[in-house]
Amino acid sequence: NYIHCEHLVDVEGYTGTREGTATYAQYLIKPDWLLPKIPDDISYERGSLACCGLGPSYGAFELMGLVAGQTVLITGLGPVGLGAIVNARARGAKVIAVESFPWRVDRALQMGAAAVLHPRDPSNVSRIKELSKGLGVDCALDCSGTVAGQRLCIDAARRKGKVAFVG
């Protein structure tokens, strides 16, 4: 929860520059107490992929309490959305995804998604409800960053369902 702190470390005050503070920089500057050690047999590239591709959905699923036997909707299957499939399947959840790019659709199915719907299909809400025993999904995670994806998450969630936006 460090990103929500009101009193972050002043990198420029320590280093004299803002260099290394952007989240898409090749190298980031963070306080050492915040950074977990990457095991010696894992490269920096793979370690950063785990944080970037898996981290957002891991935190969201923790907060939403996603557990085995529940159904989750994931909209947008870029690196974060595909990482969300990994996290959801590891928790034993059924995944319904929404994506239009054929390669990502195929990859999602290979990774264990029960269904992948096209984002422009006007029957998505009713199809999602059919796939979730008529109730809607227990949890929904938008990884697309689009208004349409966010709206679908809200509309497809069951009563008292949980929705998170990480896209």
Side-chain angles (χ1 to χ4, degrees):
N1 290 327
Y2 176 74
I3 62 170
H4 302 293
C5 292
E6 292 182 21
H7 306 289
L8 300 176
V9 172
D10 178 11
V11 172
E12 189 171 5
Y14 284 106
T15 65
T17 178
R18 298 283 307 148
E19 190 71 31
T21 60
T23 56
Y24 285 103
Q26 184 174 0
Y27 299 101
L28 294 175
I29 297 174
K30 296 292 179 192
D32 60 356
W33 56 265
L34 179 65
L35 305 173
K37 181 168 174 26
I38 297 174
D40 291 335
D41 61 335
I42 296 178
S43 69
Y44 286 116
E45 289 80 11
R46 289 187 185 253
S48 63
L49 176 62
C51 291
C52 184
L54 298 172
S57 60
Y58 180 87
F61 291 155
E62 281 286 304
L63 290 171
M64 289 192 287
L66 181 66
V67 296
Q70 289 186 321
T71 301
V72 61
L73 171 65
I74 300 169
T75 56
L77 298 180
V80 173
L82 291 172
I85 293 174
V86 171
N87 278 321
R89 295 298 299 137
R91 292 169 177 270
K94 176 182 176 181
V95 174
I96 301 168
V98 177
E99 178 58 56
S100 61
F101 290 100
W103 183 90
R104 292 175 180 178
V105 170
D106 291 341
R107 179 63 60 181
L109 294 169
Q110 292 170 12
M111 295 170 72
V116 182
L117 310 176
H118 194 282
R120 291 197 182 110
D121 186 340
S123 67
N124 276 342
V125 173
S126 61
R127 294 208 44 222
I128 291 166
K129 290 196 177 182
E130 287 172 16
L131 292 165
S132 57
K133 301 177 185 169
L135 301 173
V137 295
D138 299 290
C139 297
L141 183 67
D142 176 61
C143 302
S144 72
T146 67
V147 172
Q150 295 166 351
R151 183 78 249 169
L152 182 59
C153 285
I154 292 167
D155 293 342
R158 67 171 172 80
R159 288 184 186 209
K160 297 180 103 181
K162 297 174 183 168
V163 177
F165 301 148
V166 298

